[in-house]
Amino acid sequence: MAMGQETATDNGAFAFTGDWREYAPIAFTNLLLSIVTLGIYSFWARTRTRRYLWSHTRFIDERLEWTGTGKELLIGYIMAFCLIVVPLGLINLIVQGVVMRGHAGLGGLILVLLYFFILYLTGVAIFRAIRYRLSRTFWHGIRGGSDEQGLTYGFNSLWRSLVGALVLGLMVPWSMTTRWNLRWDAMSFGPHHFQANARWGPLMGRYLLVYLIPIILFVGIFAFGAFFAPRSMVPGASPPVALVIGFMIFIFGFYIVLGVVAISYYAAYYREAIGTLSLGPIEFGFTARTVDWFKLVLGNLALTFLTFGVGYIFVAYRNWAFFIRHLEAYGELHLDALTQSATRAPGQGEGLLDAFDIGAF
Amino acid sequence: VIPGVRVGHYDGVSAIERFPMLMAGDATFMLVESDGQEGPFAFADLESREPIRGAPVFGLKKRPGWRIVFVEGLPVAVAARVPRAKQYGGLIDRIGLWPATLGFAALAALVLFAAVQLPTVVARLVPTGVERRMGDLMIGDFGGRVCNGPGGQAALDAIAHRLGAPDYVEVHVVKIPVVNAVTLPGGKILLFDKLLQQANSPDEVAGVMAHELGHAKHRDVLAGLLRQFGLSVVLGGLGGNVGGYTNAALSITYTRAAEASADGYAIDDLKDAHISPAATASFFTRLAKMEPQFGRAGTELSYLSTHPMSSDRARRFTTSVVKGETYTPALDPAQWQALRGICANDPKAKGLQFEF
């Protein structure tokens, strides 16, 4: 490897070197302190978790570094709470009064507008959270960021979400991929811009599966009912046990099948979205297949429920390890050309995202 | 003179790592390389970062991306000058994990206690006019469902007057087919029409009204709203379900106490007005029969509901009957007739329909 020139190859451009036993003391003290501070510590808890995860993530020859602080996350949350959540709560109170006075139409209109506004803010929140995380992520002393504030992205995201819901929801893949492209095209790391070229075409097969399975299964229910119904039509007879058990298995199976099909769509979505993403000379790839996602989700559920919720504190760790282990990068990066980002680093954290309680992944 | 130590270094401008010697002075240090030197930097400006394979890492205040890694370990002389490693956060690192945990727990208990108790005090300091405007903003005229059949309102006001209702309290009947009564912010008491139909005598209606008057006089509704808001702010950081459940558990304990004390005031008011509490007791007994029979579980579960079990309440009203006391009915038969017909005899009263 020549000096000042780093090559990313397929065997391990990214590596995660963490150990859950090493992370456990962080996770447990985070939980303890979050409880006794009525949740205020959770901002510092998240910062500690990220410091650990980032510093145990290697890209080519150097580890990532997380420089965000708990204080800036707290300030971001307080700002979002005062500027967004409190006014929205007040408007809600007024709508209640409007409806109680019998102007249900006007109340409904305000609620619809409010819903659009929250949808808009959700887009802004996701954009700003990515921008904040990139601006606090350093590699070789260089960070990422964005020149945009996310306000325009919010509008784009809003109308694309609405159009996605049109035509009986068939345009959801189009909506998801174009929004992904829009927000990542606005991001950069050092002097390089991200380029996202996710296509919705390759996702349509999986999406149609998600879309059609419930319909097929519902037709199945009626066929099932029609098959057994004549035999249980004896007046006064309770339904046969086999029918009840069969029905329960069917309902259970319905949700499992639907879950697996939904996961298979998301697996395809992330492979497409990350697989077509590039940063200057580096191209990314994501190798997680449906079965990998299924194991992750099942593992997280088991970890949480078998420990009565305590195991949830390891979910963020597992998600990050999963993400990094399936992330790949190819191409040659010239370190002399990798200069510091010229974007303005945001002053506070992902407050909007926190205020709306949106998950990180 | 402190000997120099080799450090890995990024300057936050270029991505090339360099390995200068760190030459420490008393309060400052220089980074020296064969082709030049950088500095001086103040030790006090260093910020502890996550170590890499056990090697201490430091950033520099206001210089994002700048960092030094003590790849060969931290010499004692330098270790005494750099800031301590950050673990839990500035404040907790200073006072220690367990003292901090105990301190925070005590503070959290205090904050929760205040959030539950203070609203009762604060609510009584809010002028009734302000509370009334707030109530109007939230509820308004209840969408024209208030009934005004001939003589009904006068009968209602007669009971309120006998019970010594304060001036700012207004009592109305609304056309809603549920056996219930509510007190809204601003001392607006609404009796639901179905309750009047289920009642056997005006004394039973007086008992329910006296209970609601207890809420109105003690500003329970405003206090409840303030408590809900306060708890949701205080517990907001706990996020999602955990905060919600804690909030619900704390509010319900308090609501139950408020209900029991409203019953206490109802008994006092009935006594002063010489209206028999026996009728109210039999009303609750009838309600108790309508409640599903949970048996022993019923008594346990009643702690989960906001109102005490009807049978417990009935017992309390029954024991308050004074033998030898001369009670007079809350209304004469003509007034009672008018009150029961307040909705049926009002063609303008709108029924309950949600037009969404």
Side-chain angles (χ1 to χ4, degrees), chain A residues 3-4 26 29 32-42 44 48 51-52 55 62-63 65-67 77 81 93-94 96-102 104-105 138 140-143 335-336 338-340 357, chain B residues 10 12-17 48-53 57 64-65 67 86-89 92 97-98 101 104-105 108 111-112 136-143 145 233-240 355-356:
Chain A
M3 178 73 179
I26 297 176
T29 48
L32 175 75
L33 288 167
S34 294
I35 291 171
V36 297
T37 56
L38 299 174
I40 295 172
Y41 188 75
S42 61
W44 282 266
R48 281 179 75 203
R51 271 170 62 136
Y52 178 84
S55 72
E62 184 62 280
R63 289 158 185 247
E65 194 180 2
W66 177 262
T67 63
Y77 177 76
F81 191 83
L93 271 183
I94 292 169
Q96 235 178 55
V98 167
V99 172
M100 280 299 190
R101 281 186 179 75
F138 284 78
H140 274 262
I142 302 298
R143 66 171 173 85
L335 286 180
D336 4 342
L338 188 65
T339 49
Q340 189 54 282
D357 229 349
Chain B
Y10 290 118
V13 178
S14 93
I16 311 278
E17 186 171 25
S48 166
R49 296 270 163 78
E50 199 73 14
I52 295 177
R53 284 188 217 92
V57 180
R67 83 168 192 197
K86 245 193 208 168
Q87 197 175 0
Y88 303 106
I92 302 171
L97 174 63
W98 294 111
T101 303
F104 283 135
V111 167
L112 285 181
D136 286 347
L137 185 70
M138 284 169 62
I139 317 279
D141 64 350
F142 227 66
R145 278 181 276 275
V233 169
V234 169
L235 297 172
L238 279 181
E355 55 268 12
F356 283 109

Side-chain angles (χ1 to χ4, degrees), chain B residues 233-248:
Chain B
V233 169
V234 169
L235 297 172
L238 279 181
N241 296 337
V242 182
Y245 291 143
T246 318
N247 190 338

